[in-house]
Amino acid sequence: MKNNCAILLMMLLCIAATDVFATEFNFKLKNQEGERVEVYAEVYKDNILQRRDFLAEVANEMPIRISLKSNEKLVFTGSSIDDKKEIVKREYNYGSLNKNQERTVDLRLLHPEKISGDILKFPELLVKLQNDRLYKLLTDTTKYKLDEFPDLGSFILYNTESQEASTYSLGITLANTEEINIVDIDDKNWVRSDLDIALGVGGIPAFGEVKTKFGTDQLIEFHTVVSRFKQKKLTGASLKPYDYIQQANFYDFMKRIFSSENGSHYKLFFVSSYLEADSIIFTGRSLKKLEAGIQVGTGTEAVVDISLNLQYVRDKGFSQLDKKTNVKFDYLVVDMTPFIAYKANQANQDFILKKNREQLANIKTTTVNFYQNLIQVDTEINGFTIFPEAEDVLTITDAVVDEINLKPKTYMLDSVGNILVDPDISRYNRLVSAYNRNLSKIQKRLDEYYAKEKEIIKLEEASNGLIPESDFMVTNSIKLDDTIVENITRLN
């Protein structure tokens, strides 16, 4: 019995000695970053901090010895010297260490990012890209044919009925061109690849690559990179599209187009300028939560979400998901449609003019109807009208419209601030609303009327061979509708 007690006493003394006396362990601090870091050793007992000691500023590698008791845990913390980025914490329990073996501690920085509040789903990203003038060209592969974008000095012929467009170049060397660099662009989006179906949205090649390279249930850092975004335009002697269409090979081109059709539903444009990107690239990389057992190894880096303090591991580089080169958009063109009327199908001018005059008459009829409604409402309001006869509606100008626009009346308030509903004011305000609606419609129709009048004048001049060359100068360029660019095919 005495021997058993002695043995038990010795065991208790050994355990107590282990708790009291610390063991030294060897570590090698290894800086895996390109900047110096300051390192601290934090010692915890029962998750309560016992001490925090500054160890060293580490540039490359540094051996160090630290004492630890059996019931303690060691945590390496710290930050970079220059910008105070925190390092990834490294934790070691006493039982996981060997006093006869040096333990290498990789020092990795946590790169701050704002992630949590900006995470999209892939359908949401698709909508965002489709609404962007730069990126929408890569989101619908059924529309845009990048090798068929028209060049400077080429012509675009657009069929307004079939909505087909074709380009034609006269083979002229355009020496007088100018490039204006605008900017390089790198847009970043955080996307959750939560469902297989989401990765196939719209059949976008880049989205399919996300599924192949990263899989599902991943947080993706999705970048759209635009390289050398610039404007290209004609200058100097190149600004003479009127001269180009006088050439014989252009007549041959027009004959091919109009051999079996009239030209009334065609538009002709001369390309004077566009925006271009040397390349638009979709790239991405996945992020995994930095949890126990996940190492920040070679080629990866740690990230901390500054919103929720969540930590991730991601690749340092990006995977290319899709790339398009020499992408053109936002075309400026000279509208040479009146030239079609004059040169391509001059015999059909009377028909074209008749149609346009009918359209002008219809616009006037509609305007007069709105005007009659206006007079009726005005009479209800005032008991009389100050307006001229309906046929004189075309004499109303924008300035007159602004002057005769009516304002609704305001209700009175009682002594405690409540609105006193007055039936007469309510009726008056309803009439004012109807009055102003008709006035607004009149103004819109008048704008259409005057625009159509100008178009008819040009058609009449074309019919008489009186097209001013000044109408076809690049200074009169307009933006080409994107739907025309979508449907272009090259005609050689």
Side-chain angles (χ1 to χ4, degrees):
M1 183 68 178
K2 290 181 179 180
N3 288 337
N4 289 339
C5 290
I7 292 172
L8 181 59
L9 181 60
M10 290 295 293
M11 291 176 63
L12 291 172
L13 290 171
C14 288
I15 293 172
T18 305
D19 287 339
V20 173
F21 299 106
T23 303
E24 280 195 337
F25 296 99
N26 296 314
F27 297 90
K28 180 169 67 175
L29 304 178
K30 190 173 183 179
N31 189 347
Q32 301 285 10
E33 306 287 349
E35 50 186 306
R36 295 171 64 88
V37 296
E38 54 184 16
V39 184
Y40 293 83
E42 297 180 353
V43 177
Y44 292 82
K45 179 181 178 181
D46 297 330
N47 292 323
I48 299 175
L49 179 64
Q50 303 298 308
R51 65 182 185 274
R52 185 174 190 264
D53 301 323
F54 173 72
L55 298 180
E57 290 185 5
V58 183
N60 297 303
E61 295 181 0
M62 178 176 292
I64 199 158
R65 295 173 65 85
I66 297 177
S67 297
L68 204 63
K69 296 177 183 179
S70 63
N71 56 357
E72 292 179 334
K73 177 177 69 175
L74 172 64
V75 180
F76 289 103
T77 64
S79 61
S80 59
I81 301 296
D82 295 332
D83 51 14
K84 299 303 178 183
K85 291 178 185 173
E86 293 185 8
I87 67 171
V88 178
K89 292 181 179 180
R90 298 298 187 190
E91 298 185 4
Y92 300 93
N93 291 314
Y94 180 93
S96 66
L97 299 172
N98 185 337
K99 68 178 181 179
N100 298 317
Q101 182 179 354
E102 183 181 65
R103 178 66 66 95
T104 299
V105 181
D106 284 334
L107 303 177
R108 299 276 187 174
L109 293 176
L110 279 168
H111 299 275
E113 293 277 9
K114 183 179 182 297
I115 300 174
S116 303
D118 302 316
I119 297 177
L120 305 173
K121 293 183 179 180
F122 267 90
E124 295 171 327
L125 176 62
L126 176 61
V127 172
K128 184 175 180 180
L129 295 175
Q130 287 175 331
N131 290 328
D132 190 285
R133 63 175 180 157
L134 299 179
Y135 308 134
K136 66 181 178 181
L137 279 72
L138 279 73
T139 61
D140 194 338
T141 55
T142 63
K143 287 184 177 180
Y144 296 97
K145 305 176 183 67
L146 302 186
D147 59 342
E148 294 182 344
F149 282 147
D151 296 319
L152 291 179
S154 60
F155 290 88
I156 300 172
L157 191 69
Y158 180 61
N159 187 323
T160 57
E161 291 186 351
S162 66
Q163 295 188 336
E164 296 175 345
S166 57
T167 66
Y168 180 78
S169 176
L170 297 178
I172 300 170
T173 301
L174 299 170
N176 297 310
T177 63
E178 180 182 359
E179 286 190 6
I180 303 173
N181 289 330
I182 300 176
V183 71
D184 289 341
I185 300 172
D186 187 345
D187 287 333
K188 176 168 59 178
N189 291 279
W190 303 101
V191 192
R192 175 68 68 183
S193 59
D194 47 358
L195 296 172
D196 280 347
I197 191 171
L199 295 172
V201 170
I204 308 305
F207 289 5
E209 284 295 304
V210 169
K211 180 177 180 181
T212 301
K213 295 182 185 299
F214 306 128
T216 57
D217 196 25
Q218 296 284 335
L219 178 62
I220 309 297
E221 184 180 347
F222 191 92
H223 281 239
T224 43
V225 182
V226 181
S227 176
R228 201 158 174 264
F229 180 36
K230 57 188 177 294
Q231 182 188 28
K232 296 184 72 173
K233 63 181 183 178
L234 298 176
T235 60
S238 298
L239 306 182
K240 295 182 179 179
Y242 188 83
D243 292 340
Y244 298 158
I245 59 178
Q246 306 297 326
Q247 300 182 29
N249 53 349
F250 189 80
Y251 292 132
D252 294 338
F253 163 61
M254 299 304 287
K255 285 178 182 178
R256 290 168 60 188
I257 296 298
F258 295 104
S259 57
S260 58
E261 301 184 58
N262 65 58
S264 61
H265 52 270
Y266 278 91
K267 290 184 177 294
L268 181 66
F269 305 102
F270 177 81
V271 178
S272 61
S273 173
Y274 53 72
L275 298 180
E276 182 181 39
D278 282 3
S279 65
I280 298 179
I281 306 174
F282 288 167
T283 65
R285 55 184 174 184
S286 63
L287 288 80
K288 298 180 177 66
K289 281 190 176 180
L290 183 56
E291 298 171 336
I294 296 180
Q295 296 297 318
V296 185
T298 304
T300 62
E301 62 186 9
V303 180
V304 60
D305 180 356
I306 59 177
S307 300
L308 298 180
N309 201 31
L310 297 175
Q311 297 181 10
Y312 299 88
V313 177
R314 70 182 177 192
D315 291 335
K316 288 185 176 179
F318 289 87
S319 296
Q320 181 172 300
L321 306 174
D322 194 15
K323 179 179 181 179
K324 296 293 184 290
T325 57
N326 301 322
V327 182
K328 303 180 179 71
F329 41 86
D330 279 8
Y331 279 84
L332 293 182
V333 295
V334 181
D335 187 355
M336 308 191 75
T337 303
F339 183 84
I340 294 180
Y342 176 54
K343 289 289 186 183
N345 202 7
Q346 195 168 15
N348 200 39
Q349 289 306 298
D350 290 341
F351 174 78
I352 298 173
L353 280 169
K354 179 182 176 183
K355 285 292 183 183
N356 277 271
R357 287 166 180 155
E358 288 174 356
Q359 292 170 1
L360 188 69
N362 288 336
I363 294 173
K364 181 177 179 180
T365 299
T366 305
T367 307
V368 168
N369 290 338
F370 285 131
Y371 187 62
Q372 289 172 334
N373 292 339
L374 183 74
I375 292 174
Q376 181 179 349
V377 175
D378 184 56
T379 303
E380 287 190 54
I381 293 174
N382 301 310
F384 62 92
T385 180
I386 61 171
F387 293 110
E389 294 299 322
E391 286 298 314
D392 295 327
V393 64
L394 300 180
T395 62
I396 296 179
T397 64
D398 287 348
V400 172
V401 169
D402 291 339
E403 183 179 338
I404 63 177
N405 200 63
L406 296 180
K407 304 294 183 184
K409 292 181 180 179
T410 304
Y411 291 105
M412 299 290 290
L413 302 177
D414 62 17
S415 59
V416 293
N418 295 320
I419 295 175
L420 297 174
V421 178
D422 185 331
D424 291 336
I425 292 179
S426 297
R427 178 179 177 277
Y428 176 83
N429 287 346
R430 285 195 299 271
L431 291 172
V432 165
S433 179
Y435 174 94
N436 288 337
R437 279 198 305 272
N438 280 281
L439 193 60
S440 176
K441 291 176 181 178
I442 289 171
Q443 188 172 29
K444 181 179 178 182
R445 293 305 186 281
L446 288 175
D447 290 341
E448 293 175 358
Y449 185 89
Y450 296 130
K452 180 59 69 174
E453 262 193 339
K454 291 179 180 178
E455 188 176 343
I456 289 175
I457 291 171
K458 282 193 174 184
L459 289 171
E460 289 172 341
E461 291 174 346
S463 180
N464 297 323
L466 299 174
I467 301 180
E469 180 178 347
S470 59
D471 284 0
F472 302 124
M473 298 302 291
V474 171
T475 50
N476 295 327
S477 293
I478 59 173
K479 185 181 182 300
L480 185 64
D481 193 292
D482 288 335
T483 57
I484 297 178
V485 182
E486 292 171 4
N487 297 291
I488 282 178
T489 56
R490 191 177 296 281
L491 182 64
N492 297 318

